[in-house]
Amino acid sequence: MMNVTEMNRQKLTDTAKILVSNHKGLLAMDESNPTCNKRFAKLEIPQTEELRCAYREMIVTTPGLNESISGAILYDETIHQHLKDGTSFIKALTDKGIIPGIKVDAGAKDMAGHPGEKVSEGLDGLRDRLKEYAQMGMQFAKWRAVIAVGKDIPTKACIEANAHALARYAALCQEAGLVPIIEPEVLMDGEHTLERCLEITEEVLHTVFKQLYTQEVMLEGILLKTNMVLPGLACPKQESIDKVADATVKCLLQVVPAAVPGVAFLSGGQYSELASARLNAMNVQFKSRLPWELSFSFARAIQQPAMDIWHGKETNVPEAQKALYHRAKCNFYARRGEYDATKEK
Ligand code: 13P
């Protein structure tokens, strides 16, 4: 582990542990401007910087959010913004005991010679950007790779290129003292079965950990953020909560080393309540036998009900905040294996 100083090793290990401790999880609020605008457009909310800022202020000022959320993943625009009273978003989160982190990939771009596949960019100049982010108070970072499923895809070329980029990003993060959240996401779009998702997720994670080993990334100082093992959204055969929990945990046990402190799932377009129920089932059935924490790092499955209520209007903020608090709390219960329908009342 040549690139991590002794001081950084301790800091990275501690931060990664804190992010998955006390049954809390991560709130992903790092949608890029185009993605945030797309979600606003669906609800006919004007796509302006002012409203993106107001929306993020609604999230950051939600009372009691820190009861369930250990860290929030921000986007570059957001870390330069302030609450109406002039407090920076970073300070507002830190004051509540929520650790701020930052998305640093520059997006998934079409891969040359591989129609339908993407590779995430952003390594150029990353060392300098990470240094700046660390100075601004960020303690962790995120890089997302997307793996599409379809006829003849994903290819080895796509999986390996993304895994290589993730490992180089992770090494740079650790050098800068930031915990890398390593996010390979096998997408839910498509007709594929749960078995196919299992096979692909296993291969992707196996390739990612091989690259992390090659790049000498310290596993105690990372978090894995990945998809649950699910049938595609258009697959005629949808599976029970227990089957998804079972397949997901079996897959992770095959490929995620015990030194990794935690796995935090993305929601990927699952309904909020289903994402909570599936996470709950994994913790009920397997928690006592797993080497790592099973946590959440949801964007849509925490934010969507709140965004629907907020709808771009200041007067809706208190109700939207209640919905956000509620979803975060449901996932906190899911981590404890205590989530059920009564928690939705
Ligand atoms: P979703 O939970 O909406 O999938 O988002 C998680 C995320 O951070 C994607 O990068």
Side-chain angles (χ1 to χ4, degrees):
M1 305 304 156
M2 300 308 289
N3 73 328
V4 187
T5 62
E6 209 38 59
M7 201 175 81
N8 272 357
R9 285 180 75 84
Q10 196 53 50
K11 184 174 150 199
L12 294 165
T13 309
D14 293 347
T15 306
K17 248 192 226 148
I18 292 169
L19 287 171
V20 290
S21 63
N22 299 324
H23 304 107
K24 296 185 191 185
L26 301 174
L27 170 60
M29 48 179 292
D30 60 331
E31 299 81 5
S32 63
N33 290 348
T35 302
C36 188
N37 287 345
K38 232 191 286 167
R39 294 191 183 151
F40 278 11
K42 263 197 197 156
L43 298 170
E44 295 179 1
I45 300 167
Q47 295 111 64
T48 62
E49 183 185 342
E50 199 185 338
L51 276 171
R52 286 195 299 273
C53 184
Y55 176 65
R56 264 93 188 226
E57 172 155 359
M58 181 279 288
I59 296 178
V60 166
T61 57
T62 293
L65 195 61
N66 57 346
E67 292 167 22
S68 319
I69 300 297
S70 55
I73 316 174
L74 306 172
Y75 181 60
D76 187 73
E77 179 180 77
T78 317
I79 62 167
H80 295 101
Q81 289 171 329
H82 297 81
L83 306 183
K84 280 191 286 301
D85 70 5
T87 312
S88 74
F89 281 5
I90 300 172
K91 182 166 186 321
L93 287 166
T94 312
D95 285 352
K96 279 181 190 244
I98 296 178
I99 300 176
I102 177 91
K103 166 197 177 77
V104 300
D105 65 79
K109 304 287 159 62
D110 289 343
M111 198 172 158
H114 292 82
E117 297 195 290
K118 309 250 184 207
V119 62
S120 298
E121 295 186 352
L123 287 172
D124 285 358
L126 183 58
R127 174 177 274 135
D128 294 336
R129 285 197 288 138
L130 291 173
K131 210 165 149 191
E132 208 177 302
Y133 288 143
Q135 278 162 2
M136 289 179 80
M138 300 296 122
Q139 294 186 44
F140 68 97
K142 182 192 103 171
W143 179 292
R144 172 175 179 252
V146 293
I147 309 291
V149 183
K151 189 174 171 313
D152 301 329
I153 62 169
T155 60
K156 233 184 174 35
C158 172
I159 294 174
E160 288 194 359
N162 277 297
H164 177 78
L166 276 166
R168 286 187 53 205
Y169 139 82
L172 283 163
C173 283
Q174 292 194 333
E175 180 190 84
L178 299 178
V179 171
I181 305 225
I182 295 168
E183 182 182 11
E185 173 177 5
V186 177
L187 295 176
M188 285 171 69
D189 305 297
E191 295 179 1
H192 56 273
T193 60
L194 172 139
E195 288 74 19
R196 176 116 172 91
C197 178
L198 173 63
E199 189 187 308
I200 294 168
T201 304
E202 196 171 302
E203 185 181 347
V204 167
L205 295 180
H206 179 68
T207 311
V208 167
F209 281 102
K210 202 164 135 209
Q211 283 292 336
L212 292 174
Y213 179 77
T214 305
Q215 300 299 329
E216 301 184 16
V217 171
M218 187 190 74
L219 296 184
E220 293 83 350
I222 69 162
L223 291 177
L224 174 69
K225 170 163 175 166
T226 194
N227 52 284
M228 296 184 193
V229 172
L230 300 166
L233 285 169
C235 176
K237 190 172 174 227
Q238 292 298 317
E239 305 281 1
S240 68
I241 290 169
D242 282 345
K243 179 109 189 250
V244 167
D246 201 53
T248 304
V249 171
K250 278 196 178 131
C251 173
L252 296 175
L253 282 170
Q254 289 295 321
V255 282
V256 182
V260 175
V263 179
F265 294 105
L266 56 96
S267 55
Q270 300 174 67
Y271 289 114
S272 303
E273 296 180 13
L274 203 47
S276 302
R278 287 164 168 165
L279 176 62
N280 184 70
M282 288 181 224
N283 279 309
V284 167
Q285 291 179 47
F286 301 102
K287 192 179 176 65
S288 58
R289 290 182 271 152
L290 298 176
W292 7 256
E293 298 287 337
L294 281 186
S295 185
F296 58 91
S297 176
F298 298 154
R300 282 163 288 180
I302 292 180
Q303 288 183 45
Q304 200 57 54
M307 189 189 280
D308 293 345
I309 295 169
W310 173 69
H311 232 109
K313 301 211 168 59
E314 183 70 30
T315 45
N316 295 335
V317 165
E319 281 309 306
Q321 289 183 328
K322 275 188 209 154
L324 192 82
Y325 173 86
H326 172 69
R327 284 265 49 93
K329 201 58 173 216
C330 284
N331 292 308
F332 166 85
Y333 284 125
R335 284 212 53 196
R336 297 171 65 97
E338 291 172 359
Y339 170 82
D340 59 27
T342 63
K343 297 286 189 302
E344 294 293 349
K345 287 188 183 135

